[in-house]
Amino acid sequence: QIKLSRYRCGGLLLGVICHHHIADGHAASTFYGSWATAVREGKGFTLPSPFIDRAATAVPRSTPKPVFDHRSIEFKGGEGSGSSQPHAVLPMDKIRNITVHFPAEFIAELRSRVGARCSTFQCLLAHVWKKVTAARGLSPEEFTQVRVAVNCRGRANPPVPMDFFGNMVLWAFPRLQVRDVLGLSYGGVVGAIRDAAARIDEEYIQSYVDFGRVADANGEELAATSTFGTMLCPDIEVDSWLGFRFHQLDFGTGPPSAFLPPGLPVEGLMVFVPSRTVKGSVDLFMALADDHVAPFKRICYSLDILPSRM
C-alpha cells in the first residue's frame, strides 16, 4: 500500500507498507530506487525487469529431508520458537520508540575496538547488543540472542539472482550468556554474530525449503514469531538498511529530507538506517520497554566493557 500526503508548504510525504510475503528489505529497496529512477527519467525510460520466478528459488528435493528444527527456529509453536524464552506481551503504551545517532567518528572507533575486519552493521550490532543487555539489568547466567535477517540469494545452491523480487531471507541467531555479551571484547561479540550468520549456508537453506514442502503437504498452519506488543527481552531483533543510498530516492526534486520507519510495535526491535545528513553516520531506530530507555541512553555512547550487572 502506498499513501501520498501533500502538505500546504509544498512538502510531500510518501508512506509505504509492504508485507514480507511479497518482498524482503533488499527487494523493497531495489523497488524504491527503480521507482524513483522511472519517475525522474520520465517517458521513454525502460527499467530492466526483475527476476520473479519464485518457483525457481525454492526447489525441494525429490524426497524432502529437513535437517534442522525449523518449526522451533523460525515459527511459533515449537519448543524454543527461536527465542531464549517465551515472549511476554507488553502494553503498547509501555513501549517507547527512540532514535540514536552514531557519528562516523564513533563508528570508526568501534571498528578499531573489534581488532579485525568487520562491517559497520556488525560492529554497531555488537555495541547495541551490549548496551541494551546492560540497560535491561539481566542476570549474568541468562541467555540472550539477536535475530538477524540474512540475505540468502548468494548463499543458495544454485545462487538466486540479486535482482530477485521476493523474500529470500532467513534468520540467524547469535546467542550468548549475558556475562559474555557484557564481558567479551567487541571482537568476541562480532565473532559470535559472524559465526551465526555463516551457519545459514546452502545446506540450511535447502533444509528450510524441504521443511516448507513437508508442512504444505501436511496442511500445517505456521505462525510468525512476533506480533504487536511482543516483548523480546532478553532478546533483540535487528533489521538494516545500511546498504541503501538516499540519492536512489530522488524522484526529480532531490533526495528526501528524511527516511525513517514508523513506530515499531515490538519491544527489542531495531533498525539501522544510514544518516541522511552526515556521510558515514548511522541512525538507530529502536523500541524499548519504558523502564529500560533511561539506562540505555546513559550508556549508549560508552565504549567501556561493562560488568555483568549494572
Side-chain angles (χ1 to χ4, degrees):
Q1 293 179 338
I2 298 170
K3 181 180 180 180
L4 304 178
S5 301
R6 176 74 69 181
Y7 291 91
R8 292 176 181 174
C9 64
L12 176 66
L13 175 65
L14 176 63
V16 181
I17 182 170
C18 175
H19 199 291
H20 276 306
H21 280 173
I22 298 172
D24 56 23
H26 177 84
S29 63
T30 300
F31 168 74
Y32 299 150
S34 299
W35 180 17
T37 300
V39 173
R40 189 172 63 249
E41 298 295 332
K43 292 181 179 180
F45 177 77
T46 302
L47 284 169
S49 298
F51 182 80
I52 56 174
D53 186 359
R54 298 190 179 198
T57 67
V59 181
R61 285 173 277 217
S62 55
T63 302
K65 297 177 181 177
V67 178
F68 300 92
D69 185 11
H70 300 285
R71 185 176 291 99
S72 295
I73 298 170
E74 280 95 3
F75 300 97
K76 278 184 179 178
E79 183 181 352
S81 296
S83 64
S84 296
Q85 61 183 36
H87 292 144
V89 176
L90 193 66
M92 292 298 293
D93 61 355
K94 299 296 184 182
I95 297 177
R96 285 265 305 278
N97 274 243
I98 62 173
T99 304
V100 179
H101 177 76
F102 291 110
E105 297 79 11
F106 181 87
I107 297 171
E109 178 61 25
L110 266 181
R111 285 176 177 272
S112 70
R113 297 290 182 107
V114 173
R117 185 177 179 180
C118 71
S119 66
T120 296
F121 171 77
Q122 289 169 340
C123 71
L124 276 178
L125 176 55
H127 177 72
V128 175
W129 192 9
K130 280 176 171 286
K131 302 311 172 186
V132 169
T133 299
R136 285 168 164 172
L138 301 172
S139 167
E141 293 77 24
E142 193 166 359
F143 279 92
T144 170
Q145 69 182 19
V146 187
R147 186 157 54 183
V148 182
V150 177
N151 185 349
C152 297
R153 286 168 176 80
R155 297 170 182 252
N157 184 20
V160 174
M162 291 305 290
D163 64 347
F164 166 63
F165 186 82
N167 192 318
M168 198 68 186
V169 162
L170 288 176
W171 298 111
F173 293 95
R175 186 172 188 262
L176 293 169
Q177 281 187 299
V178 167
R179 61 158 53 93
D180 293 327
V181 173
L182 300 181
L184 285 174
S185 66
Y186 278 97
V189 178
V190 165
I193 295 169
R194 184 182 288 126
D195 291 346
R199 287 193 283 272
I200 309 302
D201 55 13
E202 60 181 81
E203 180 185 6
Y204 188 91
I205 295 167
Q206 186 63 61
S207 173
Y208 183 82
V209 171
D210 288 354
F211 169 77
R213 172 56 63 87
V214 172
D216 287 345
N218 294 335
E220 198 170 348
E221 293 290 336
L222 300 170
T225 51
S226 293
T227 57
F228 279 55
T230 298
M231 186 174 186
L232 296 181
C233 182
D235 304 331
I236 57 178
E237 179 180 328
V238 62
D239 194 5
S240 172
W241 285 72
L242 294 181
F244 195 69
R245 296 295 177 262
F246 285 105
H247 67 80
Q248 296 176 282
L249 276 182
D250 180 2
F251 284 83
T253 57
S257 299
F259 180 84
L260 64 159
L264 302 174
V266 176
E267 188 277 341
L269 177 60
M270 61 184 187
V271 183
F272 290 122
V273 177
S275 172
R276 190 197 65 82
T277 56
V278 184
K279 185 177 181 181
S281 298
V282 173
D283 292 326
L284 167 67
F285 299 91
M286 186 171 193
L288 280 178
D290 192 61
D291 293 345
H292 301 153
V293 171
F296 175 75
K297 286 187 172 181
R298 283 198 299 268
I299 61 175
C300 65
Y301 293 112
S302 169
L303 291 172
D304 297 332
I305 301 297
L306 296 168
S308 58
R309 273 194 181 275
M310 289 186 64

